[in-house]
Amino acid sequence: MESSQYTKIRISKEQRYPTLNIKAKRRKGSKQTNEQRQSLPPHGNPFKEVSGLEMDSQLRDFLKGNIQGILPHLSEERTEDLIDFLKSKGVKKQRDLRRLTCDVLEGHLNDMVDACDLFDEWQKVYGEGGPSTSRGSGLQSRLANNFQQQPVPTPNMPTFDKDSPYMPASVKEACIQRKRASSSGRNQMVERIVDRCREVVPGLQRSMFNDVALSLVLAYPDTFKDTILVSKHGSDSLAKQLRDKFDNDKRPKNSTQMEKEAPSNKEAYGCIRWNSTLPDSETEDSQEEKRQSLVDMHMLSKKEWDWKIIKKHSEESFFLQMKDINGP
DNA sequence: CAACACGACTATCGTAATCC
DNA sequence: GGATTACGATAGTCGTGTTG
């Protein structure tokens, strides 16, 4: 049941693109995706790295401002307490903040939402993609066991791991035990991830879920990787599941009401309510002449097409077109 | 070198399948 | 049986190779 559901959504690329060939695959490497084509704003770091931040007072000031910026409701006392906690976890530089998981933060704050907000913000700003200034630090080695493999963050997209509050308990357990996630757990996870992304990513596009899926598959291959591989990375099913959820959520909830409000397709195309009266300025012959001129134009090469005439005659011969569609 | 063909990919939508 | 999920068709864009 469960496996068949997963198999069902795995569409072979060869099935979908029967003419896929090696030559084309070779080109793939240099291909630019649609989202890459779009000129995304640079992922700037609002917290400019300050040299000498290792100094205690500077780091404290930075952390205080940063935390209060993300969690303005947090009291002075709790903020100071959190700063001490962060320092105890080996945070020596701003970028060390990216090493803290939701689980670790929630353990101290006892607040899932606050922990998640901090985690998301720090991942967004100091995500794994950037160069580390403290590789091999005590913190890193302490936190390294939290992941089988560090998830790959996508710029502007939140990062999800087994400790994320958006991960259902059953899926988290599956990740830990390196087992397949249950169908219901996986669906629940997909729903939560899509919700969260929609919440925090302005201008979210379905293609952005490819990286989220890839990130999870890389981190937890036993739990999420396709059993029947379509591509090398094996994240196609999960990516499609996320995209489909995103798509389906965009649809109107009350389809029956929408159907009542919207005209039927036939009516939308004017086939039922077509006004069969010939315009005053036109005759059957003039309509036929325009039709013939369009046919003649079609016989020519595209270079010779006169678009002004095509547009004009197409509009003016609307009566004849409708008559041909609807009959006399 | 422009025009064209083709492949890869995305977004959208209708609808079948499945879930609850 | 309604709601949700997933499949597949279609249209469109873009990059690259081929052709005249």
Side-chain angles (χ1 to χ4, degrees), chain A residues 17 24 49-50 64 74 81 98 107 134 193 222 248 270 284 306 323:
Chain A
Y17 308 111
E49 196 92 26
V50 181
K64 194 173 176 180
L74 215 61
D81 188 41
R98 65 179 168 173
S134 58
I193 288 177
D222 299 311
N248 288 326
E284 295 273 357
D306 186 331
K323 188 183 169 189

Side-chain angles (χ1 to χ4, degrees), chain A residues 22-70:
Chain A
I22 294 167
K23 189 173 68 178
K25 280 178 180 172
R26 200 175 54 237
R27 288 205 305 262
K28 195 182 169 187
S30 60
K31 191 182 178 306
Q32 207 180 10
T33 61
N34 273 358
E35 63 269 27
Q36 283 172 322
R37 279 175 219 126
Q38 292 166 352
S39 52
L40 289 168
H43 186 229
N45 185 345
F47 304 103
K48 195 182 168 186
E49 196 92 26
V50 181
S51 60
L53 194 67
E54 292 80 358
M55 289 174 66
D56 189 63
S57 61
Q58 277 184 299
L59 178 60
R60 268 199 111 74
D61 288 346
F62 164 74
L63 288 174
K64 194 173 176 180
N66 182 254
I67 291 166
Q68 286 178 342
I70 300 166

Side-chain angles (χ1 to χ4, degrees), chain A residues 27-257:
Chain A
R27 288 205 305 262
K28 195 182 169 187
S30 60
K31 191 182 178 306
Q32 207 180 10
T33 61
N34 273 358
E35 63 269 27
Q36 283 172 322
R37 279 175 219 126
Q38 292 166 352
S39 52
L40 289 168
H43 186 229
N45 185 345
F47 304 103
K48 195 182 168 186
E49 196 92 26
V50 181
S51 60
L53 194 67
E54 292 80 358
M55 289 174 66
D56 189 63
S57 61
Q58 277 184 299
L59 178 60
R60 268 199 111 74
D61 288 346
F62 164 74
L63 288 174
K64 194 173 176 180
N66 182 254
I67 291 166
Q68 286 178 342
I70 300 166
L71 307 174
H73 58 277
L74 215 61
S75 69
E76 184 99 0
E77 189 184 348
R78 289 195 69 197
T79 304
E80 291 293 338
D81 188 41
L82 178 58
I83 292 169
D84 289 339
F85 173 74
L86 294 175
K87 289 180 77 179
S88 75
K89 287 292 175 185
V91 173
K92 294 173 183 172
K93 298 174 185 176
Q94 293 170 30
R95 282 183 182 172
D96 289 336
L97 295 171
R98 65 179 168 173
R99 301 287 175 200
L100 292 149
T101 63
C102 271
D103 201 32
V104 169
L105 292 167
E106 191 186 344
H108 179 76
L109 291 167
N110 292 319
D111 189 308
M112 186 187 77
V113 177
D114 282 357
C116 190
D117 284 347
L118 284 174
F119 175 79
D120 285 340
E121 185 60 36
W122 290 343
Q123 284 297 316
K124 195 167 75 181
V125 179
Y126 306 112
E128 287 293 312
S132 171
T133 54
S134 58
R135 288 274 179 210
S137 68
L139 177 70
Q140 188 192 13
S141 57
R142 274 197 296 278
L143 296 177
N145 291 337
N146 281 349
F147 302 98
Q148 292 169 32
Q149 188 179 336
Q150 290 285 347
V152 181
T154 306
N156 301 320
M157 289 291 273
T159 308
F160 301 93
D161 60 41
K162 68 176 171 55
D163 299 318
S164 164
Y166 305 100
M167 198 68 82
S170 66
V171 178
K172 181 178 178 177
E173 192 60 28
C175 290
I176 293 166
Q177 295 182 5
R178 301 192 174 198
K179 287 181 179 174
R180 200 82 188 149
S182 70
S183 172
S184 57
R186 182 163 152 140
N187 277 337
Q188 209 176 354
M189 179 194 78
V190 164
E191 189 180 337
R192 290 179 185 183
I193 288 177
V194 170
D195 280 348
R196 178 62 182 164
C197 290
R198 213 177 3 235
E199 191 182 319
V200 299
V201 182
L204 180 67
Q205 290 182 315
R206 62 205 305 288
S207 57
M208 294 174 178
F209 291 107
N210 292 347
D211 293 326
V212 174
L214 181 59
S215 164
L216 284 167
V217 166
L218 283 174
Y220 313 108
D222 299 311
T223 312
F224 300 117
K225 194 170 183 177
D226 291 348
T227 50
I228 301 171
L229 290 180
V230 174
S231 57
K232 202 175 174 181
H233 46 75
S235 63
D236 300 83
S237 292
L238 185 56
K240 179 158 176 55
Q241 212 173 351
L242 288 163
R243 286 196 304 268
D244 281 344
K245 176 64 184 162
F246 179 60
D247 281 349
N248 288 326
D249 281 353
K250 285 194 291 189
R251 298 178 184 216
K253 292 290 175 193
N254 191 344
S255 56
T256 50
Q257 193 180 346

Side-chain angles (χ1 to χ4, degrees), chain A residues 7-18:
Chain A
T7 309
K8 206 172 55 182
I9 65 171
R10 263 177 238 114
I11 310 159
S12 155
K13 200 170 273 186
E14 282 68 29
Q15 281 177 332
R16 187 147 189 163
Y17 308 111

